């Protein structure tokens, strides 16, 4: 859970608890039961959305790592082949092989 979301959930829980306590004591402070229920529902929606994001993040993290590993391998092959072509052919021919670099 992201720290920001976690902090907001905790602060909201504390506020809802305080509002409920004082509402039951007869001191509403301008807040109704309906508003508290709406706030609880919004907090519940936030928790559900956050859980879904965390689940997706857990699925995505290994896939991103795999992609980064493949990208590193592709870059290494590219650099090696480009170096080979640059050493074997004169600069004028580099573009024929898709190597736009200039010395």
């Amino acid at each position: 859970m992201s720290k920001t979301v976690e902090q907001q959930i905790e602060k909201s829980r504390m506020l809802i608890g305080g509002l409920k306590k004082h509402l039951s004591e007869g001191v509403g402070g301008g807040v109704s039961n309906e508003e508290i229920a709406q706030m609880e529902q919004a907090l519940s929606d936030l928790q559900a959305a956050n859980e879904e994001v965390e689940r997706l993040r857990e699925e995505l993290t290994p896939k991103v790592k795999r992609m980064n590993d493949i990208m590193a391998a592709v870059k290494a092959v590219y650099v090696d082949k480009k170096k080979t072509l640059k050493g074997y052919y004169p600069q004028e021919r580099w573009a024929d092989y898709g190597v736009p670099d200039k010395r």
Side-chain angles (χ1 to χ4, degrees):
M1 182 181 307
S2 84
K3 196 68 169 169
T4 304
V5 174
E6 186 178 312
Q7 288 173 342
Q8 187 59 54
I9 289 172
E10 187 57 34
K11 289 191 304 187
S12 296
R13 280 186 187 146
M14 290 173 41
L15 178 62
I16 290 170
L19 289 171
K20 281 183 170 181
K21 178 182 172 188
H22 291 289
L23 194 61
S24 66
E25 294 173 354
V27 184
V31 179
S32 68
N33 281 326
E34 285 180 20
E35 291 171 320
I36 293 173
Q38 288 173 348
M39 191 173 178
E40 287 177 313
Q41 182 59 49
L43 182 59
S44 176
D45 292 345
L46 175 61
Q47 287 173 310
N50 188 60
E51 287 170 8
E52 181 179 5
V53 166
E54 288 300 317
R55 182 183 51 77
L56 291 171
R57 193 172 282 142
E58 286 176 16
E59 290 176 20
L60 185 60
T61 298
K63 292 178 182 183
V64 169
K65 182 182 178 341
R66 181 175 177 269
M67 183 201 62
N68 288 339
D69 292 344
I70 294 168
M71 177 70 145
V74 168
K75 278 184 171 183
V77 170
Y78 174 83
V79 167
D80 182 55
K81 298 308 171 207
K82 185 171 86 169
K83 190 183 290 184
T84 301
L85 284 169
K86 285 177 137 183
Y88 189 75
Y89 291 106
Q91 184 177 356
E92 299 80 38
R93 300 267 327 268
W94 294 353
D96 297 343
Y97 292 92
V99 179
D101 294 353
K102 305 273 188 223
R103 280 194 188 171

